[in-house]
Amino acid sequence: MRLSRRFWIALTICLGACSDHSGEAILSDYEARLSRTLDLNFESTAIAAAPRKPRAEALQLELQNSDIGTLDFLALTGCELQITIGKRNSSLGKLAPPSQRLLLDLEFLRHAPACIAHLESKADQQELVSLLEQSQILKQQQLARQIHNATLAGPEWHQFWKPQKIPVGYPSDTTSDQVLQALDAITAMADNWLRGDYVADNQMFEMHLNTLRSGDGGVILSATQTGHEFFSRWNTTLGEHTQQHACSPESRRTILETVIAKYFAGSVQQWLAPIMSRADNIQQASNQLENLLSQASSAEYNRWRQQRDDYIQAMKSLTVAHVKTLKRVINPC
């Protein structure tokens, strides 16, 4: 039975839609073509996995408590600070997540000066004034650590950098710039707070943190690890090949040039280059916040941060090394 032209067109469209355009498929295809062209077997090589961020809870920094007792709280009548302390001492306040604890501390720092001035005129409240002043100083001293707990050690930041499956087509033209905007906004807020401007838009701050929760830091780490796996074995095997073969015969060289142009430059690099560009943008925005809080961050966090950045940078080095190795492989006889 003769099949119609319409059937063949429909079948072609279907097969095209079902084909795998994932990064791993692109890398595997290039590897298979290199293998056939050079008669090589690319053996898996041991590589370091993408550094995993410590659990958010493990990165929380311990802070000194400066809560006002019940009797002192009642003496704050007439101060807006009384409402703030009431929220902090409530059952919900004691169980508040790091971001809410930060916002309550900022609220304390905003209202404390007016309350202290109000109580200073009362002779019987000097002890309370001293207690409030001590609490104010302590919260100022611990503010960077509190910001760290709410951001770099918070659950949103942990989810942001959690390795996850690489979406097909990542990063597409629709990759959200809201993540970068949220990072910049949080950094600007933190900088203002550390400079003594304690004004906070609570809803906006929480919204930016939630934007980070769905960000693609973890996708970058997954894509980088995939790149490490392939490029490491390519570079190792091709390096051994060039030691045994000083040049390529013309017949093989022509095919190899096509493979490199079409399947490395035209496919692998087309997949990898936008990811590395996205990684640069994410790293730069993340580093601004991390640099601001570096003195308050734990050694464990700073160690992971350095490992993360080095791992991404190593991917760029592997790419450069691969290009140099290809130039040696394709050397004509």
Side-chain angles (χ1 to χ4, degrees):
M1 180 174 150
R2 190 173 182 179
L3 298 178
S4 68
R5 181 171 178 272
R6 182 177 296 178
F7 170 86
W8 288 114
I9 293 174
L11 180 60
T12 301
I13 293 173
C14 180
L15 291 175
C18 294
S19 61
D20 188 352
H21 296 290
S22 68
E24 189 164 352
I26 291 170
L27 298 170
S28 295
D29 183 43
Y30 170 61
E31 180 177 292
R33 293 174 188 278
L34 270 183
S35 178
R36 288 197 298 270
T37 303
L38 297 172
D39 193 22
L40 291 175
N41 183 25
F42 289 98
E43 299 284 349
S44 295
T45 55
I47 66 161
R52 279 195 169 271
K53 182 179 172 295
R55 293 181 301 105
E57 298 83 356
L59 294 174
Q60 287 288 310
L61 302 174
E62 189 173 346
L63 302 175
Q64 287 182 257
N65 192 354
S66 62
D67 289 342
I68 309 297
T70 304
L71 292 177
D72 294 324
F73 168 74
L74 295 175
L76 293 174
T77 301
C79 291
E80 287 187 81
L81 191 60
Q82 186 184 49
I83 299 174
T84 303
I85 295 174
K87 288 189 287 188
R88 185 66 181 89
N89 289 344
S90 69
S91 56
L92 288 177
K94 291 176 181 178
L95 298 174
S99 59
Q100 286 299 309
R101 292 198 292 271
L102 166 63
L103 293 171
L104 285 171
D105 273 7
L106 291 169
E107 195 174 305
F108 181 101
L109 290 170
R110 286 200 304 274
H111 297 319
C115 189
I116 290 171
H118 170 71
L119 293 173
E120 279 180 331
S121 61
K122 301 181 179 181
D124 60 341
Q125 298 297 337
Q126 295 311 300
E127 187 176 344
L128 179 55
V129 168
S130 178
L131 179 59
L132 287 176
E133 288 175 338
Q134 292 173 26
S135 295
Q136 182 183 28
I137 292 171
L138 181 59
K139 289 186 184 298
Q140 288 170 335
Q141 292 173 339
Q142 295 186 149
L143 184 56
R145 293 166 67 87
Q146 189 74 279
I147 296 172
H148 170 275
N149 285 352
T151 55
L152 304 184
E156 298 86 1
W157 193 259
H158 186 74
Q159 184 63 33
F160 175 50
W161 284 107
K162 183 178 180 180
Q164 52 190 294
K165 185 177 180 180
I166 310 166
V168 174
Y170 175 86
S172 66
D173 293 336
T174 58
T175 300
S176 175
D177 285 334
Q178 290 181 350
V179 172
L180 298 175
Q181 293 166 3
L183 279 168
D184 290 343
I186 290 172
T187 302
M189 289 177 179
D191 187 47
N192 285 339
W193 296 334
L194 292 173
R195 290 175 185 273
D197 181 358
Y198 305 125
V199 174
D201 186 329
N202 295 11
Q203 184 176 1
M204 188 64 68
F205 179 61
E206 293 287 3
M207 185 184 75
H208 288 320
L209 287 178
N210 283 328
T211 297
L212 294 185
R213 187 187 292 275
S214 58
D216 53 328
V219 178
I220 288 171
L221 289 181
S222 295
T224 303
Q225 179 165 332
T226 299
H228 270 262
E229 292 170 355
F230 280 88
F231 275 82
S232 293
R233 65 172 173 257
W234 295 343
N235 293 353
T236 299
T237 305
L238 290 176
E240 294 170 352
H241 175 80
T242 58
Q243 291 177 357
Q244 299 171 9
H245 303 84
C247 61
S248 293
E250 185 64 29
S251 58
R252 175 175 288 181
R253 183 166 169 262
T254 301
I255 299 173
L256 185 57
E257 286 177 340
T258 300
V259 169
I260 293 171
K262 187 173 181 180
Y263 298 99
F264 178 67
S267 293
V268 172
Q269 286 290 66
Q270 289 295 315
W271 172 76
L272 185 60
I275 292 176
M276 290 295 97
S277 177
R278 178 68 175 176
D280 282 340
N281 292 333
I282 291 290
Q283 274 186 290
Q284 289 173 15
S286 297
N287 287 164
Q288 287 180 358
L289 179 59
E290 290 166 329
N291 290 341
L292 185 65
L293 300 173
S294 61
Q295 296 302 312
S297 300
S298 66
E300 188 177 12
Y301 182 87
N302 288 330
R303 183 165 50 252
W304 168 79
R305 172 196 173 185
Q306 189 64 55
Q307 291 171 345
R308 178 201 71 198
D309 289 351
D310 289 348
Y311 194 76
I312 294 173
Q313 182 59 43
M315 183 64 252
K316 299 175 185 178
S317 299
L318 284 170
T319 306
V320 172
H322 187 64
V323 172
K324 291 180 179 179
T325 303
L326 287 175
K327 288 180 179 178
R328 293 198 300 271
V329 172
I330 208 168
N331 182 43
C333 292

